[in-house]
Every structure is written in C-alpha cells, then in structure tokens.
Amino acid sequence: MTTENHTSRRVALVTCAELPDLDTDDKPLVAALAERGVTAEPVVWDDADVDWDAYGLAVVRSTWDYSARRDEFVAWAERVPRLANPAAVLRWNTDKRYLRALEDAGVPVIPTIWLDPDRHLSKRAVHTRMPAFGDFVVKPVVSAGAKDTGRYQPVSAESRALAIQHAMTLLDSGRWVMIQKYVQSVDTEGETCLTFVDGEFRHAAHKKALLSGPAEASTSYREEEMSPVEATPAQIDVARRALQVAAEAVGLAEPLLYARVDLVEGEDGVPTVIELELTEPSLWLQHSGEARTLDALADAIAKRV
C-alpha cells in the first residue's frame, strides 16, 4: 500500500484529554470502520504532537473541554486539513447566538434575552432584564454539557440575587450571557434529541432534565440520562428546518456528517429547538435500535475518506 493510500484510509476520531480513548458510545466506531477498510484512531484535539496531515479525515467527537478555550478550538479546527464537520460549522455552532438565525428563519426557539459584556451593564440593569414570572435559565453563549448554567426562581429574592451574580460573573469575564424562560415541559417530558447522519434522520433519544438549581462550579460535563424514543413527524420537520438554516448560514456544499437537534415542547405544543448540536454531540448510538445509526455513520465516514 502506498503512503498516500494509507493516509487516505486513516481517520482521527477527535476527543479530549479527559477521554483519550473515546467516550463509550463512540468506541464501536473503531471496529465498524475497520470492517470498511478504514483505520480509526482516537486523537486528542489539543495534543501538539499530532500530525493532522497524516489523516485522510478528522471526525470531531468528544471534544467536551473546548468551551473554556473556544477561540483556541476554532483556530485548531481551521488548521486541520480535512475535518468533519467543517471548521466553518464549528465556528458558527459553538456560539449559541446561532439561535438568532433560527428565529429569524421562523424556526421555533425559546425566546432569549441577550446580554453583551461590552455594554458594561450594572446589576440593576441585569435585574430589570430578568423575567418577573416563571423559572428562568442563565448561561453563557459558549458552553457545553450544562456547565456554567443555572436555573432560578424570580419569586425568591435569594434565587434572583444568585441569578444576578451568576450573570455578572459571566459578563465581567467578557462572556455574552443568555437568559431564557425555563420550559416547564422539560421537567415532565424532558428533551427529545434527534440524530442525523449524512443529512438523514436516523433515530431519537429522550433526555431527562439536567437543571434543578443555580450554576455549580465544575470542570467537567454533566452525565446525561438517555433512553430511546420515537420522534414525531412534527419534530422531524422542525429539526430539518433548523439544519437547513445552518447549511445556508455557513454555505455547506454537502450534508453534515453528523448532527443532533435537541427539542422541547413549547407552551403551544410546538416542537421547539433548545440546541442545535453540530460540533461534538453525543449521538447515543446504543439507542438507535434497528435504525443502525452506527453502520450509517461508519458508511458516511468511509465514503468521505
């Protein structure tokens, strides 16, 4: 085998230093790709010794430590010769202000209040922007795994004070802040997360609520409880519309290798996008059942190498 052919059939499954051997859900990809003549290796994204030119394709998977170094992560992505999903997608998707593009296109999203650190808002100004009724969520526009995210109650003076302090801490560190009304259906119905591979819907999973109170100091991501679920036609339609907006926003020439669209039920019963996960989403391959998402993903990667 020539060096060129060897390189073209090598794939880097990109992860973080905390999970150097991949997340459990992604490990079966190695064997699945081997069956297709592709050598897949877990590679830590910020390992300075990695020769990214040695891989025919780098597939971002569990890079779950990127949010604290988002600019560094995007700069890394732009240096990798062949990356799935592309660097332009990662740049757009790692800042939750992409929700504005979805809203402008008519895709149902949770109404959001945006706080700009450059405006140097006072505590009183932040206070007046928070909801007067109903639980609400405070979080930075760059985050992963519910880190730096808290749920608060406006009727409690203590909770509201914690929310203001949370927002001020983020703003003082130069981070944009988003404030959203907490969708009550998350407590009763949870989230429905739709996985797409190569532009095609493959399966859905149910996720339980992660937030119960103020933001907690943490250096890691929160474990998610998942179970398989059947997506409705309405949910699939909203997810496809969201992905179309993303494709148009970054000028994609081909379908995304992978995507996850997380939905909640809005007050009017309409499926509503809570997050569009195009960077490093768990795809919960073990919950795909007969849809065989693992095979579809391996086929799509092999096709791109």
Side-chain angles (χ1 to χ4, degrees):
M1 179 180 292
T2 66
T3 301
E4 180 180 358
N5 286 338
H6 177 66
T7 298
S8 68
R9 303 301 287 176
R10 285 182 73 194
V11 168
L13 299 178
V14 189
T15 185
C16 61
E18 190 173 345
L19 295 167
D21 298 317
L22 298 176
D23 178 61
T24 301
D25 194 53
D26 290 321
K27 288 182 179 180
L29 259 179
V30 176
L33 286 167
E35 292 174 357
R36 291 157 174 80
V38 177
T39 300
E41 305 166 6
V43 184
V44 175
W45 74 270
D46 58 352
D47 184 343
D49 294 328
V50 175
D51 177 12
W52 297 101
D53 289 321
Y55 296 96
L57 185 67
V59 180
V60 177
R61 294 308 312 124
S62 45
T63 57
W64 295 335
D65 60 352
Y66 83 84
S67 61
R69 296 177 290 157
R70 186 252 181 178
D71 290 345
E72 180 184 345
F73 178 70
V74 172
W76 161 81
E78 291 173 343
R79 292 195 302 270
V80 178
R82 294 202 63 208
L83 186 68
N85 290 330
V89 174
L90 271 54
R91 175 180 289 280
W92 184 81
N93 185 237
T94 50
D95 185 320
K96 291 183 177 63
R97 283 176 288 179
Y98 67 74
L99 290 169
R100 289 172 159 178
L102 300 185
E103 185 175 27
D104 290 345
V107 177
V109 299
I110 299 172
T112 303
I113 298 167
W114 307 92
L115 305 184
D116 181 351
D118 289 339
R119 296 191 62 184
H120 304 291
L121 299 169
S122 66
K123 285 187 177 181
R124 179 173 178 77
V126 170
H127 176 272
T128 60
R129 285 163 172 77
M130 290 182 172
F133 303 98
D135 289 9
F136 61 94
V137 173
V138 175
K139 60 184 174 182
V141 299
V142 178
S143 66
K147 288 190 289 184
D148 298 322
T149 299
R151 175 180 173 181
Y152 302 95
Q153 297 81 39
V155 295
S156 163
E158 180 183 4
S159 182
R160 197 171 185 86
L162 288 172
I164 294 168
Q165 186 55 54
H166 180 187
M168 292 301 297
T169 298
L170 293 172
L171 290 169
D172 288 345
S173 65
R175 304 171 75 179
W176 273 76
V177 174
M178 52 196 298
I179 301 173
Q180 295 179 320
K181 182 177 180 180
Y182 186 79
V183 179
Q184 294 299 324
S185 67
V186 173
D187 289 338
T188 56
E189 304 298 329
E191 298 177 27
T192 301
C193 308
L194 281 65
T195 292
F196 290 74
V197 172
D198 210 15
E200 296 298 325
F201 170 67
R202 301 302 307 184
H203 74 276
H206 174 266
K207 180 165 66 175
K208 292 184 178 180
L210 284 176
L211 296 179
S212 58
E216 301 173 0
S218 174
T219 58
S220 185
Y221 54 89
R222 301 189 191 182
E223 195 69 27
E224 296 168 319
E225 293 185 47
M226 309 301 304
S227 58
V229 69
E230 191 77 21
T232 67
Q235 289 173 329
I236 295 172
D237 176 66
V238 168
R240 289 192 185 281
R241 288 164 56 194
L243 292 176
Q244 182 60 37
V245 172
E248 293 172 357
V250 298
L252 287 180
E254 63 178 0
L256 292 161
L257 174 62
Y258 56 85
R260 201 184 82 207
V261 186
D262 296 352
L263 304 173
V264 295
E265 184 179 304
E267 292 181 353
D268 52 3
V270 173
T272 300
V273 176
I274 189 167
E275 282 198 271
L276 186 58
E277 299 271 12
L278 312 180
T279 302
E280 29 62 76
S282 294
L283 300 177
W284 300 303
L285 302 175
Q286 74 271 30
H287 296 310
S288 64
E290 295 180 0
R292 295 301 300 167
T293 304
L294 174 63
D295 287 339
L297 182 58
D299 286 343
I301 292 172
K303 182 177 70 176
R304 283 166 163 77
V305 179

